[in-house]
Amino acid sequence: MSQKVLFESDTHRNVLLEDFSSGGLAVQANQHMIIDGKVGMILDPGGHKVYSKVMAASRQVLGPARLEILFLSHQDPDIVAAVNGWLMTTDAKAYVSNLWVRFVPHFGLDHLVESRLVGIPDEGMKLPLGGGHVLVIPAHFLHSAGNFQIYDPKAKILYSGDLGASIGHGYDEVTDFAAHLPFIEGFHKRYMASGRALRAWAKTARALDIEIIAPQHGAFFRGKELVGKFIDWCERLECGVDLIGDSYAVPG
Ligand code: FE
């Protein structure tokens, strides 16, 4: 079993779990963990296809630490579908946008664990983690209406969810931004809601000291130069409602 360590200090570790997507129709998805002292969190743990493998890997990464937080960036199945299993087998709390608290239980949430599904207010929040904290950063409409990212100030990593997602290449780290563009462009133009939302996000991202932007699908961006290039690209992108014409043509 292999894991990629994105940051490590005496008390703090950021780990990208091995890719458990087995190909097929299901989109490739990354699972990230942050461990601080005796406490850990997992980000966007995924659906049923990867549940048992991600659970086993997370136990290995946690070691003696206990899982306290399941972070759900938004409500999509590749993020949320297995949340009942995670809540039934751990004591963790699952955090998701207030907008989705009444929708997520439709994935099959046992009433015994419902009270551990916690809503995140629109403005985001500070989440204590071990001896420190992470920030839950609003990134609404990128792509979901109730959408958050995690900023870890110790590791200087922004976990960007679907923003920055790439599909269809064979590497897990971006080295050449221009060569990477074909793998991110189509997805962002269609899935991200609007340039206005991206410009607001770019402003927020520039206020943070970021060494790595790690999306939930595909490759991550490491280093100020690549991080800066990605933020600049987002700020200029026309997408979503920017590209809608006067009407939707009636099919047929
Ligand atoms: Fe999504």
Side-chain angles (χ1 to χ4, degrees), residues 14-51:
N14 298 63
V15 181
L16 168 57
L17 301 186
E18 184 191 5
D19 185 4
F20 294 114
S21 325
S22 47
L25 189 59
V27 66
Q28 184 277 338
N30 299 320
Q31 287 85 33
H32 286 276
M33 297 192 74
I34 310 175
I35 318 293
D36 194 283
K38 295 264 175 283
V39 172
M41 72 184 283
I42 187 161
L43 290 79
D44 293 343
H48 300 294
K49 282 186 80 133
V50 296
Y51 168 69

Side-chain angles (χ1 to χ4, degrees), residues 233-244:
W233 178 79
C234 285
E235 193 170 39
R236 287 192 298 265
L237 189 71
E238 291 205 310
C239 62
V241 294
D242 307 331
L243 304 175
I244 292 179

Side-chain angles (χ1 to χ4, degrees), residues 86-142:
W86 284 94
L87 287 171
M88 293 290 269
T89 50
T90 69
D91 296 321
K93 286 181 178 168
Y95 291 82
V96 72
S97 163
N98 269 335
L99 271 65
W100 305 126
V101 167
R102 295 182 67 82
F103 294 80
V104 167
H106 281 271
F107 280 113
L109 207 55
D110 197 285
H111 67 91
L112 292 170
V113 301
E114 269 185 358
S115 62
R116 282 190 281 124
L117 181 66
V118 182
I120 306 168
D122 259 0
E123 63 271 24
M125 65 198 292
K126 197 172 177 175
L127 268 184
L129 182 75
H133 67 272
V134 295
L135 297 177
V136 183
I137 305 282
H140 303 307
F141 304 105
L142 300 172

